[in-house]
Amino acid sequence: MHARAVAATTTALLGTAALLVPATDARAGAERPTVIAHRGASAYAPENTLAAVDTAAELGIDWVENDVQRTKDGELVVLHDDNLRRTTDAEEVFPGRAPWKVKDFTAAEIARLDAGSWFGPEYADARVPTLKQYVDRVETHHQKLLLEIKNPELYPGIESETLKVLANEGWLDGPHLADRLIVQSFRADTVRTVHELKPAVKTGLLGTPAVADLDRYAVFADQINTSYASISLGYVAAVHAVEGPHGRPLEVFAWTVNDVNTARLVAGYGVDGIITNTPDVVRDALPAE
Ligand code: G3P
Ligand code: CA
């Protein structure tokens, strides 16, 4: 039995008592969680821009997370919200185009927008990157990518289109599939579709599904990536006790953790990764490997 499955069984037997085990004891022998820069190093540079990728690299962070959506003319772009208002100057550049949905603008129109000044004047040159531009920059830094397909219900077929861009840019070769790429979504049907189209891609389901439902998600998801506030030592152990589609225990990445105490708390739960706007803070909060 895998060590985590043993731990989970132990936890199940101990029940509530296991939840009272101090964090340091709970993680004895466990690996240090992976640190993932959420939307890039988004506490220090405008989220989901190439600058945020660059900043993560400057901090020595290997993994970045992003959000992928689709323009009116079919280009995949990296942006969190389904509209352009919060993180660009779309309202000024295109007055009268409310509600400024990503899906209602062409790639050329979006490329004109300033995606950095909202964060700081020094980022006025930042643009909304295409997925191609984004993965190429991640590759330049030899980083790894946790790619979220955002709002897939708005973009039928985005799963295959995302995989096509990844393939074209060399991200579906052996080394990338082995350890440099995870595709995640809040929509289980999207995660399932990605798995069915390209079973070798590691996948994550965002959310905190009931333990009773984990078996059916484990058919197509390698990870359960969940809000840190919704989990416990027992929940993480229960996830680890389930085997995923590649014959390994399901993993847990927790989001969005931006302070030392919470990083140590969730590390104590045994999570496999911590998604954070402040990746340097979280990295430095964890014990050295
Ligand atoms: O990767 C987890 C996290 O990104 C999910 O939430 O809203 O920041 O995309 P959100
Ligand atoms: Ca995200």
Side-chain angles (χ1 to χ4, degrees):
M1 188 183 290
H2 186 281
R4 282 188 177 128
V6 173
T9 305
T10 305
T11 302
L13 290 171
L14 292 174
T16 309
L19 301 178
L20 303 176
V21 173
T24 47
D25 293 343
R27 276 198 63 78
E31 290 175 15
R32 189 175 191 270
T34 298
V35 178
I36 303 101
H38 182 233
R39 311 180 193 172
S42 58
Y44 311 123
E47 64 181 58
N48 278 327
T49 64
L50 299 184
V53 174
D54 295 344
T55 303
E58 288 161 12
L59 293 170
I61 301 300
D62 287 341
W63 280 89
V64 294
E65 188 260 7
N66 72 357
D67 303 283
V68 176
Q69 302 191 68
R70 191 170 71 204
T71 67
K72 183 178 181 180
D73 53 344
E75 185 79 52
L76 298 187
V77 293
V78 177
L79 195 87
H80 179 271
D81 299 358
D82 70 358
N83 70 83
L84 298 156
R85 292 179 66 186
R86 180 176 62 87
T87 58
T88 78
D89 58 350
E91 282 181 275
E92 292 169 33
V93 177
F94 298 109
R97 296 279 296 274
W100 298 280
K101 298 282 187 185
V102 175
K103 67 181 177 60
D104 295 333
F105 286 76
T106 66
E109 288 172 334
I110 289 176
R112 290 175 51 192
L113 300 175
D114 170 353
S117 287
W118 70 275
F119 189 89
E122 68 272 34
Y123 292 107
D125 291 339
R127 292 292 174 266
V128 175
T130 65
L131 178 58
K132 177 184 181 308
Q133 291 168 339
Y134 192 96
V135 297
D136 290 352
R137 182 63 65 94
V138 174
E139 182 68 40
T140 297
H141 293 310
H142 308 290
Q143 290 164 303
K144 307 177 184 188
L145 178 61
L146 174 58
L147 183 157
E148 180 182 345
I149 300 180
K150 187 60 106 183
N151 305 318
E153 65 278 9
L154 300 177
Y155 314 110
I158 192 171
E159 298 89 351
S160 61
E161 293 168 359
T162 299
L163 291 172
K164 186 174 179 187
V165 171
L166 291 169
N168 288 345
E169 299 311 304
W171 274 75
L172 296 186
D173 64 6
H176 287 81
L177 291 172
D179 187 31
R180 293 187 59 190
L181 175 69
I182 303 167
V183 178
Q184 65 174 358
S185 182
F186 280 101
R187 294 284 296 232
D189 51 353
T190 284
V191 181
R192 180 194 292 275
T193 298
V194 169
H195 176 73
E196 290 178 351
L197 288 170
K198 190 73 180 174
V201 172
K202 189 170 180 177
T203 58
L205 175 64
L206 284 158
T208 314
V211 170
D213 293 332
L214 291 173
D215 279 342
R216 65 189 175 93
Y217 294 127
V219 172
F220 52 84
D222 298 275
Q223 300 183 325
I224 302 296
N225 294 341
T226 182
S227 166
Y228 77 87
S230 69
I231 59 173
S232 64
L233 183 67
Y235 184 81
V236 174
V239 175
H240 284 162
V242 178
E243 191 173 277
H246 297 104
R248 293 187 290 273
L250 295 185
E251 298 178 345
V252 179
F253 282 9
W255 44 272
T256 302
V257 175
N258 297 325
D259 66 276
V260 168
N261 289 341
T262 309
R264 290 179 177 160
L265 177 71
V266 300
Y269 292 163
V271 301
D272 304 277
I274 299 177
I275 300 168
T276 170
N277 300 339
T278 54
D280 53 338
V281 171
V282 170
R283 176 194 56 205
D284 295 346
L286 302 176
E289 283 179 299

